[in-house]
Amino acid sequence: MRKPLSDTIVKIKPSGIRKFFDIVTEMEDAISLGVGEPDFDTPWHIRDEGIYSLEQGRTFYTSNSGLKELKEEIVKFQKRRYGLDYDPYKETFITVGGSEAIDLTFRAMLDPGDEVLIPQPSYVSYYPCALLAGGVPVIINLKAENEFRLTAEEVEEAITDKTKILVLPFPNNPTGAVMEKKDLEAIAEVVKKHDIFVLSDEIYSELTYLEKHVSIAGLPGMKERTIVINGFSKSHAMTGWRLGYALGPEEILTQMLKIHQYAIMCAPTTSQYAAVEALRNGDDDVAAMREEYNERRRFLLHRFKEMGLDCFEPYGAFYMFPSIQKFGMSSEEFATKLLHAEKVAVVPGTAFGDCGEGFLRISYAYSMDNLREALLRIERFIACL
């Protein structure tokens, strides 16, 4: 019988994030700090708008690129928050979550053999999506001594004549690292010098705790060579609504939309109406959630220090990336033993790239009660070591 599967898909490993989550769901009294999903309910006024859209019979397809009103509100939001200026009809379109937008970017832009620079540790989808699009992932190993920020020198060293796209995954999942304007300005000069493009994943842009987020697309000469990916899952606690968007040059988005037309048709209509309300009247919701996350962030840093767990201070997203190197175990071994000994699930750093070895991702998108109890269990586990 002819083999039924693609060699490419067979070689791609399943997500390392879900492994421990699947185990913990069947373990009594277990606490999971492994999934990057806000514990907040979607604010009621946003849910109400989605419900109202159903009551009004708005259950039909929208245009392939999304609701006109939503695209207009996205552009206003990006201008208000980050100073970016996009055409809502030519340079904006709505996707099924930010992950679809990442996939579409690679499929629209890559020819076989084109190289994609992927800083790691980073979100698990970049590497396999680049492979599935025929690209060649080239890993840039971020360093703990740089607080896992990407430097212009690291980009320069990784570029070859086959480089097409640089992935810029900040604020970062899993480390919580951010990039400041001066960092981005140096990288932008390298990008322009070598005439490459940037996929800037800004899904955590509303969750920064030191300074306001800066987009590389807002720097001189970068808008025309940057695809900005964003969405509503993290900022507005709308993970299950599956709604994201892409901003970028019309030439690129037109081809991304073509793939979207054939593969998806359009994003969920109810979600789009809810997102209009989120952007029009949701700034206070975002601010309140950000403040709560910041309180949890400070609590974890304090507790890590008390128990002697080394961790740099992250200023973005809702993750900590503590080092467990001094315990003489791999990340996988530490996470597995912790889960079975104390029923606390965290994610091994290696789920986000080989250079994550010696680290764990701990999400603080959970209630303070859960965090307090989980940290007590982790402290007890470390004491036994």
Side-chain angles (χ1 to χ4, degrees), residues 2-18:
R2 172 179 282 182
K3 69 179 181 69
L5 298 175
S6 153
D7 290 339
T8 300
I9 193 62
V10 169
K11 291 176 183 177
I12 293 174
K13 298 177 182 178
S15 170
I17 299 175
R18 306 305 300 186

Side-chain angles (χ1 to χ4, degrees), residues 6 14 19 25 81 92 133 157 178 188 237 304 315 330:
S6 153
K19 174 182 175 180
T25 55
R81 296 294 295 154
T92 309
E157 289 175 5
V178 298
F304 286 166
Y315 290 107
S330 70

